[in-house]
Amino acid sequence: MAAFTCTKRLKEEYLDILRDPVPLVIAHPLPDNILEWHYVIRGAEGTPYENGIYHGILKFPPEYPFKPPGIMMITPNGRFHCNRRLCLTISDYHPETWNPVWSTSAILTGLMSFMLENKPTLGSMLTDDQEKRVLARDSWKFNFENEDFRKLFPELLEECQEKIKSLKP
């Protein structure tokens, strides 16, 4: 029963995201596994992440929405370590703070907020704004070279190629 509830809920949330996207975010479940979603966050204007794109993964447990997802960032960003579960109040590190009413859209919005903070947490790092800007610039090439990114976000490939070309001297 829990797996059915989870699958039904995630399918509904995906349709919601398609109808009403989270600003600056693209998110898709894997075609063969609704429990694993990949997302891309565009760096917000006026932040050190501006002009960057950041790929990551949400891994939902079969008990979702009653248990929170694991969250990882794949693209180097200067805020979170790559390929490590992030310790956030909206992640599986803190099931005690999880609220089943929260949706995937809310999780992605929360992740963007945490990205803009400097508060240390497990999986975070401290870098200066200049380093974050360099990583933002380099994020296009990094993601373009990632096979999963290319498969899951074909709508961004042309933009990636243009950005990469514009960075060459």
Side-chain angles (χ1 to χ4, degrees):
M1 184 64 174
F4 173 76
T5 301
C6 173
T7 300
K8 184 175 188 275
R9 168 88 176 250
L10 287 171
K11 285 179 180 177
E12 288 171 3
E13 289 184 12
Y14 185 53
L15 290 174
D16 288 344
I17 283 177
L18 292 175
R19 278 190 297 267
D20 186 19
V22 176
L24 304 175
V25 176
I26 300 170
H28 304 296
L30 290 179
D32 59 350
N33 182 3
I34 192 93
L35 298 178
E36 184 173 316
W37 289 42
H38 286 245
Y39 62 84
V40 172
I41 296 175
R42 288 181 178 272
E45 214 174 292
T47 72
Y49 305 101
E50 184 175 359
N51 297 317
I53 56 170
Y54 306 95
H55 175 203
I57 300 174
L58 300 175
K59 289 192 177 185
F60 294 92
E63 299 83 12
Y64 179 82
F66 304 106
K67 290 187 177 178
I71 304 172
M72 286 191 314
M73 189 72 74
I74 295 170
T75 309
N77 56 80
R79 171 64 174 126
F80 299 117
H81 288 281
C82 297
N83 301 307
R84 279 196 208 165
R85 284 175 41 237
L86 303 178
C87 178
L88 306 171
T89 56
I90 56 173
S91 77
D92 59 356
Y93 263 96
H94 290 285
E96 72 282 1
T97 61
W98 174 250
N99 186 335
V101 174
W102 292 339
S103 65
T104 304
S105 292
I107 293 163
L108 292 165
T109 301
L111 178 59
M112 288 192 316
S113 291
F114 282 112
M115 200 166 170
L116 296 175
E117 293 180 357
N118 284 322
K119 184 178 166 191
T121 184
L122 192 63
S124 72
M125 62 174 64
L126 289 174
T127 57
D128 63 26
D129 286 356
Q130 179 58 32
E131 170 127 9
K132 289 177 177 97
R133 285 185 189 94
V134 168
L135 291 168
R137 182 197 66 213
D138 295 345
S139 65
W140 296 92
K141 185 173 190 281
F142 178 89
N143 288 315
F144 188 75
E145 292 173 350
N146 179 296
E147 186 178 339
D148 288 333
F149 177 89
R150 287 195 316 273
K151 275 194 263 184
L152 294 166
F153 301 101
E155 68 272 32
L156 295 174
L157 297 183
E158 188 176 321
E159 186 180 0
C160 279
Q161 288 175 313
E162 289 172 18
K163 289 279 190 180
I164 293 165
K165 280 183 201 170
S166 74
L167 296 174
K168 297 200 177 187

